[in-house]
Amino acid sequence: MAVLTILDETATGGILNRLELEVAQEMLTVRELIARRVQQEVAAYNARQSDVYRGLVQPTDSERVLNGFRLRQPKPIDAEQQLYKALEGFQQNGYFVLVNDRQVESLEEEVWMGSGATVSFIKLTPLVGG
């Protein structure tokens, strides 16, 4: 089983978050990669119920804070709802994914996750105004 380091980055290369994900298979679809990441984030948050959720997408009833999201009322986060938002965000170009320094285009694309693989989620900031 390999340990994969995942980086959340800004478009300018700043690192927002770093997490490690255990991966048993060498090949995964992008959909499976996102699902495993989101499930791990939600499980970790729900187990500790800290003030700030550091995840790929913003949970419902939360506000953006430095390096994460703060829920208005502390409660467990729904992993299925977060996964839906994350997959929708990928399809609507809310963020893009680099695997082994190559941008992936489709949720069904298979990517190599063996020893030495790298994954970056590049979060895009929407422009405000017209």
Side-chain angles (χ1 to χ4, degrees), residues 13-78:
I15 297 176
L16 301 170
N17 191 21
R18 176 187 310 262
L19 65 125
E20 292 184 345
L21 183 67
E22 289 185 3
V23 180
Q25 302 101 302
E26 280 200 354
M27 298 297 288
L28 288 176
T29 65
V30 174
R31 179 185 304 274
E32 292 168 326
L33 174 64
I34 292 170
R36 289 182 185 195
R37 180 218 163 119
V38 169
Q39 289 165 350
Q40 180 174 311
E41 289 172 343
V42 171
Y45 175 83
N46 287 342
R48 70 179 187 284
Q49 290 280 315
S50 68
D51 285 348
V52 177
Y53 173 74
R54 288 178 176 81
L56 181 58
V57 293
Q58 184 171 355
T60 303
D61 285 338
S62 69
E63 60 187 356
R64 183 178 299 275
V65 294
L66 183 63
N67 296 327
F69 309 100
R70 183 181 320 273
L71 272 69
R72 291 189 178 100
Q73 300 230 319
K75 63 180 179 179
I77 293 176
D78 182 335

Side-chain angles (χ1 to χ4, degrees), residues 63-128:
E63 60 187 356
R64 183 178 299 275
V65 294
L66 183 63
N67 296 327
F69 309 100
R70 183 181 320 273
L71 272 69
R72 291 189 178 100
Q73 300 230 319
K75 63 180 179 179
I77 293 176
D78 182 335
E80 189 174 322
Q81 187 177 46
Q82 284 301 104
L83 177 56
Y84 176 79
K85 286 180 175 185
L87 295 174
E88 184 177 52
F90 178 85
Q91 292 175 316
Q92 294 180 354
N93 298 318
Y95 63 91
F96 59 94
V97 180
L98 298 177
V99 177
N100 302 316
D101 296 322
R102 187 182 64 77
Q103 184 176 347
V104 294
E105 303 289 329
S106 161
L107 289 172
E108 303 313 318
E109 185 174 339
E110 286 195 333
V111 291
W112 179 76
M113 294 285 115
S115 180
T118 61
V119 177
S120 294
F121 285 75
I122 311 299
K123 293 186 174 188
L124 304 175
T125 305
L127 296 175
V128 178

